[in-house]
Amino acid sequence: MAINVRLFQRTKELEGKVDNFFDQLSEAAVIYRLAVRGYLREAISDEFTARLEHVCEIEATADRLRREIELSLYSNMLIPDSRGDVLGLIETADEILSLLKSSLWAFSIETPEIQEDLNAGYRRLTNMVVKAVDELATGCRVFFRSPHLVSSYNAKVTLYEKEADKISYNLKKQIFDTNLDLSVKLHLREFVDRIDAIADQAEDVADRLSIYAIKRQS
Amino acid sequence: MLFDPLVLLFLSSGLFLGWALGANDAANVFGTAVGTKMVSWRSAAIICSLFVVLGAFISGAGTTHTLGKLGAISALPGAFMTALSAACAVFSMTKSGLPVSTSQAIVGAIIGWNFFSHSPTDNAVLTKILSTWVMCPILSGIIAIVLIKIYRFSCQYFTVHMVRSDAYKRIALIVAGGLGAYSLGANNIANVVGVFIPVQPVPSLSFGNITISSTQQLLLLGGFAIALGVFTYSKKVMMTVGNQLGRLSATAALIAVISHSIVLFLFASRGLEAWLSNLGLPTIPLVPVSSSQALVGAIVGISILQGVSGIRWMVLGKIILGWIVTPVVACFICFIGLFFLQNVFGLAVV
């Protein structure tokens, strides 16, 4: 009896940690959008710095959760069947958090000068990327409870990633059609790539998630 | 009446068979759970041993009665040789890499004794036993299919977190393993001590008001022999079975073990037999069946649901070959052994 109580206690804790990890991912994506919008409005400001720090904190929390989940899975020998899949999922999802953080750090350090007429493009791109991450986080949470429902979330991630690619292509064309110096153009393009890479990573994680979901259903 | 030490020598062949049964068949019950690290070997061995002994002691009489009807061996040396030849058949078949069943070996050996002693083999009982060998894997497969259908249906309506579902599966594997071990003890104890029961080689024991009959002592002793096999040799076999079945998911493995346990229980439960009989329904014969074949039947059932191409026809062919070869080999060894025991050692085997 005592063994069962302990087992369910550990299970409940781990369940909470897994859900919390994906909550952190969703939250970080929302803060990221607010931070980029803030930057587009008034470049580096107190508000932007606060958002950057918030994303860094979330990333640190998610890292801690990832380590605790890994430790719990191996030391308590939980879900031996899907342990590798869960760890793969969490590790690749953690890379999205790193990309969100490094992208904001790049804004903070390199302070790119974004022209007024390019703002809309950056804003749309950021929105699309954040939507992809948000759908992915929901899909990941659903994977742990109803793997047969994962495909609809993954389809949305793929759709948003494709839209993000289109926006990034048009935005790059718009950048290189301006009269700015080549160095500035390259700098601005670099930031388009940085933001777009987040959606690419979200799609990679979604692809993994699809396979894991099929495995769980078989 | 004091216990004759020579009796222990004669019983040793049955106990050896019990030890081999514990070492091999415990893997059918807990192999997947231990192999996939869902349950530790130590916990599995303790639970398995406990329930095997309980199953043998409480419900073991039904199947032993059927074996007694097939051939009432009347002398201890005869019973010794019957059990020894079954053990030798199991050993030689295992060495040849053929899947083997102690149930089939002991039935073959009893028929060998019948041939030697010119005792008539009860064809009705023999037909009953042979039909259960075919029924056992088929029934196990059908139960597995029904269980997996129920599981898949219920999964659409109940959303349980993967981690919690894992905890439930862990507990279910322990419960199913306990049930499986109980059923194994109840069903297969007949193979271990069944041939000694008509001889009644040990006197009854009395502790105040409690009397333990010769049959009960044999059942208990056989249960301990199986438990010893579980503790001393099953770890390696469990790991092998777990890895062989590695391609099965934990859910499929759990369903295979539950189906196997239910089938073994059905073929050993006197209570169920009485209940069906009271309702005027056809009863399930109380016959020792092969736990390996029950497990394989369940796995084939699950494979059918996933597509017939997944079935390993070679393995199936080997199992069917085992059904025929095992009893024939045991029968032959028993006949030759009894001849030597009677004519070379001058022991009364009939």
Side-chain angles (χ1 to χ4, degrees):
Chain A
M1 194 65 191
I3 293 168
N4 291 348
V5 170
R6 256 205 333 263
L7 176 66
F8 281 109
Q9 224 167 22
R10 282 200 303 249
T11 302
K12 208 174 166 187
E13 270 175 30
L14 185 62
E15 241 181 271
K17 280 175 188 167
V18 169
D19 284 345
N20 195 359
F21 178 87
F22 291 108
D23 286 346
Q24 301 293 325
L25 183 62
S26 287
E27 198 183 328
V30 173
I31 309 287
Y32 176 81
R33 176 163 55 194
L34 294 173
V36 174
R37 280 183 172 190
Y39 184 88
L40 295 173
R41 229 178 16 249
E42 46 186 357
I44 301 292
S45 62
D46 289 347
E47 188 197 334
F48 175 84
T49 312
R51 306 261 192 234
L52 168 62
E53 280 168 9
H54 195 170
V55 169
C56 290
E57 276 169 30
I58 290 173
E59 204 263 345
T61 309
D63 268 347
R64 180 180 50 78
L65 284 169
R66 177 177 57 79
R67 274 186 225 105
E68 284 175 7
I69 292 167
E70 281 174 1
L71 195 72
S72 179
L73 283 177
Y74 278 96
S75 60
N76 297 323
M77 297 205 294
L78 298 172
I79 48 170
D81 255 9
S82 320
R83 194 188 292 161
D85 293 352
V86 170
L87 291 185
L89 184 66
I90 287 178
E91 273 164 15
T92 47
D94 194 42
E95 282 167 27
I96 296 177
L97 283 161
S98 302
L99 286 175
L100 291 171
K101 188 182 80 172
S102 61
S103 168
L104 288 187
W105 270 118
F107 272 106
S108 167
I109 295 162
E110 299 174 25
T111 56
E113 285 179 26
I114 299 170
Q115 314 302 305
E116 193 80 28
D117 51 338
L118 297 175
N119 272 359
Y122 276 98
R123 196 173 295 125
R124 281 180 59 217
L125 178 62
T126 311
N127 279 347
M128 210 49 75
V129 163
V130 167
K131 276 183 177 177
V133 174
D134 203 37
E135 283 299 329
L136 175 76
T138 315
C140 288
R141 269 194 296 261
V142 166
F143 164 73
F144 286 91
R145 290 185 172 84
S146 310
H148 60 285
L149 298 177
V150 161
S151 56
S152 62
Y153 293 95
N154 281 351
K156 284 184 196 166
V157 175
T158 309
L159 181 81
Y160 291 139
E161 192 275 336
K162 282 202 167 58
E163 280 303 308
D165 280 349
K166 280 183 205 162
I167 296 169
S168 107
Y169 172 79
N170 290 332
L171 187 56
K172 281 181 196 170
K173 272 195 79 171
Q174 200 184 345
I175 289 167
F176 282 91
D177 283 346
T178 59
N179 296 322
L180 296 166
D181 286 346
L182 183 62
S183 60
V184 177
K185 286 177 184 176
L186 292 174
H187 196 208
L188 291 176
R189 188 207 60 191
E190 167 75 16
F191 276 83
V192 173
D193 285 338
R194 274 183 182 277
I195 299 171
D196 194 30
I198 299 166
D200 290 341
Q201 178 66 19
E203 196 192 29
D204 288 349
V205 180
D207 289 342
R208 276 174 175 259
L209 190 61
S210 297
I211 294 163
Y212 299 156
I214 292 166
K215 273 170 76 179
R216 268 202 73 197
Q217 288 172 80
S218 63
Chain B
M1 193 175 146
L2 283 172
F3 189 81
D4 183 359
L6 202 63
V7 167
L8 203 61
L9 179 75
F10 284 124
L11 281 177
S12 62
S13 60
L15 299 181
F16 171 59
L17 193 60
W19 177 84
L21 188 92
N24 284 296
D25 289 16
N28 295 333
V29 179
F30 273 110
T32 329
V34 173
T36 54
K37 297 190 168 44
M38 291 286 272
V39 179
S40 70
W41 176 78
R42 199 180 168 75
S43 311
I46 293 170
I47 296 165
C48 192
S49 306
L50 181 71
F51 280 92
V52 156
V53 175
L54 284 176
F57 190 66
I58 299 168
S59 308
T63 50
T64 47
H65 186 64
T66 308
L67 274 196
K69 276 199 280 186
L70 183 67
I73 300 169
S74 49
L76 198 51
F80 165 78
M81 185 42 73
T82 310
L84 185 67
S85 48
C88 289
V90 168
F91 183 73
S92 60
M93 296 285 286
T94 309
K95 279 274 169 197
S96 319
L98 279 171
V100 67
S101 151
T102 46
S103 310
Q104 288 160 350
I106 201 79
V107 167
I110 291 173
I111 293 170
W113 184 87
N114 283 352
F115 277 141
F116 187 82
S117 63
H118 303 293
S119 306
T121 301
D122 188 334
N123 281 333
V125 176
L126 185 63
T127 313
K128 193 163 86 171
I129 290 174
L130 292 179
S131 64
T132 57
W133 289 351
V134 182
M135 267 164 63
C136 163
I138 294 173
L139 195 62
S140 184
I142 292 168
I143 292 171
I145 289 172
V146 170
L147 287 178
I148 214 153
K149 287 260 182 200
I150 293 171
Y151 173 78
R152 284 182 184 168
F153 180 77
S154 54
C155 273
Q156 293 173 346
Y157 297 96
F158 299 103
T159 50
V160 183
H161 197 281
M162 181 203 278
V163 183
R164 187 167 299 201
S165 151
D166 173 74
Y168 289 146
K169 274 181 209 161
R170 216 168 267 249
I171 290 168
L173 274 169
I174 292 173
V175 173
L179 173 67
Y182 184 92
S183 307
L184 182 72
N187 189 289
N188 277 201
I189 189 69
N191 304 335
V192 179
V193 294
V195 289
F196 296 97
I197 284 175
V199 188
Q200 299 278 312
V202 285
S204 298
L205 284 178
S206 288
F207 301 100
N209 291 333
I210 303 163
T211 305
I212 304 174
S213 69
S214 171
T215 305
Q216 284 173 321
Q217 286 177 61
L218 283 174
L219 293 174
L220 204 58
L221 203 61
F224 284 132
I226 301 176
L228 191 71
V230 173
F231 259 101
T232 53
Y233 207 73
S234 71
K235 190 173 184 177
K236 202 175 144 192
V237 190
M238 277 193 199
M239 291 299 184
T240 315
V241 167
N243 294 333
Q244 271 174 357
L245 303 179
R247 282 190 295 170
L248 285 179
S249 66
T251 312
L254 171 67
I255 284 170
V257 174
I258 294 175
S259 313
H260 145 278
S261 306
I262 290 173
V263 168
L264 254 68
F265 184 73
L266 289 178
F267 284 106
S269 173
R270 277 182 148 178
L272 183 72
E273 190 195 35
W275 183 69
L276 286 173
S277 175
N278 286 341
L279 291 175
L281 294 169
T283 57
I284 296 169
L286 304 181
V287 171
V289 288
S290 162
S291 70
S292 312
Q293 283 161 8
L295 192 75
V296 170
I299 293 168
V300 170
I302 295 164
S303 305
I304 286 171
L305 273 187
Q306 289 166 347
V308 184
S309 58
I311 298 173
R312 292 161 74 181
W313 296 105
M314 279 291 284
V315 177
L316 262 186
K318 270 190 167 186
I319 290 164
I320 292 166
L321 187 68
W323 284 349
I324 302 158
V325 178
T326 311
V328 172
V329 169
C331 176
F332 185 72
I333 297 173
C334 188
F335 191 89
I336 303 285
L338 288 170
F339 179 82
F340 271 94
L341 219 53
Q342 190 177 55
N343 299 308
V344 178
F345 296 99
L347 290 168
V349 293
V350 178

